[in-house]
Amino acid sequence: AAGGTGGHLFPAEALARELQRRGRAVVIYTERRGAQYVKALEGIPHLVLPARSLAGGLGGKLAAAFVILRATLQARRDMKRRGVVLLGGFGGYPSFAPAVAAKSLKLPLLLHEQATRLSMANRRLLGYADALATSFPRVAGADGFDPARITETGNPVRAEILAARGEYPALSADT
């Protein structure tokens, strides 16, 4: 499950493609912004869920609660149909509903944090997580989470990015 920005979706794509390469079935849960990354989702089963942030005072929070409930029910139904056995949450508010759906089905929840501070969604979900993968050695907001269940993995990188890397050009005083 990944929010609709590249910072959340691209690491989820990298993991999904690696799992596919290893013969595993995957699905990505995202929202309309994430679905716009058509090339990133090409060949990966995915479900576009409704999403809304909690911004906007009491009215916004109430509206968001209904959207989250609807998305949770859709994700739960899809997970049962596909036989999902684990959910990896990559942050962003659109990842919240699929994580709630997974936990309601008693599935393991792995969170991944790309930044040095837990995202709001990951902060709210941390108490339900079975494990936390991080891109950095220390992540603010993970205090109190069992250190034995935290693994520094780095940020999953897409194959296209790895293939494009090359040697840095030699530097001189003129460059």
Side-chain angles (χ1 to χ4, degrees), residues 1 3 9 30 42 45 50 58 63 72 76 81 108 122 132 144 161:
L9 187 69
T30 190
E42 187 176 306
L58 183 59
T72 299
R76 183 181 159 84
R81 181 179 67 80
N122 282 350
L132 174 64
I161 301 300

Side-chain angles (χ1 to χ4, degrees), residues 71-85:
T72 299
L73 294 173
Q74 287 178 10
R76 183 181 159 84
R77 194 168 33 251
D78 188 73
M79 288 175 191
K80 287 172 79 175
R81 181 179 67 80
R82 293 180 195 265
V84 171
V85 297

Side-chain angles (χ1 to χ4, degrees), residues 10-174:
F10 293 154
E13 175 204 358
L15 178 61
R17 293 207 187 278
E18 178 61 22
L19 290 170
Q20 283 180 322
R21 189 185 71 73
R22 295 180 184 198
R24 302 292 183 177
V26 299
V27 58
I28 290 183
Y29 297 98
T30 190
E31 48 103 30
R32 64 172 177 74
R33 293 176 306 153
Q36 293 176 7
Y37 293 106
V38 176
K39 187 171 190 258
L41 294 172
E42 187 176 306
I44 300 175
H46 59 279
L47 180 64
V48 179
L49 297 168
R52 179 179 172 134
S53 78
L54 293 170
L58 183 59
K61 287 177 180 27
L62 190 57
F66 284 110
V67 171
I68 290 168
L69 177 61
R70 194 169 94 226
T72 299
L73 294 173
Q74 287 178 10
R76 183 181 159 84
R77 194 168 33 251
D78 188 73
M79 288 175 191
K80 287 172 79 175
R81 181 179 67 80
R82 293 180 195 265
V84 171
V85 297
L86 172 131
L87 186 88
F90 281 81
Y93 63 84
S95 70
F96 190 81
V100 171
K103 290 314 289 183
S104 77
L105 294 169
K106 300 186 178 2
L107 300 177
L109 174 62
L110 164 68
L111 299 178
H112 185 276
E113 183 54 57
Q114 299 87 15
T116 58
R117 174 178 295 281
L118 283 179
S119 70
M120 183 188 304
N122 282 350
R123 261 195 330 269
R124 304 242 185 226
L125 293 167
L126 190 60
Y128 305 100
D130 296 281
L132 174 64
T134 65
S135 292
F136 297 96
R138 287 185 305 278
V139 174
D143 309 329
F145 192 73
D146 181 2
R149 296 189 299 155
I150 300 174
T151 303
E152 181 187 350
T153 61
N155 201 23
V157 178
R158 297 173 290 152
E160 295 85 11
I161 301 300
L162 293 173
R165 72 179 170 192
E167 297 297 318
Y168 284 103
L171 298 177
S172 69
D174 298 331

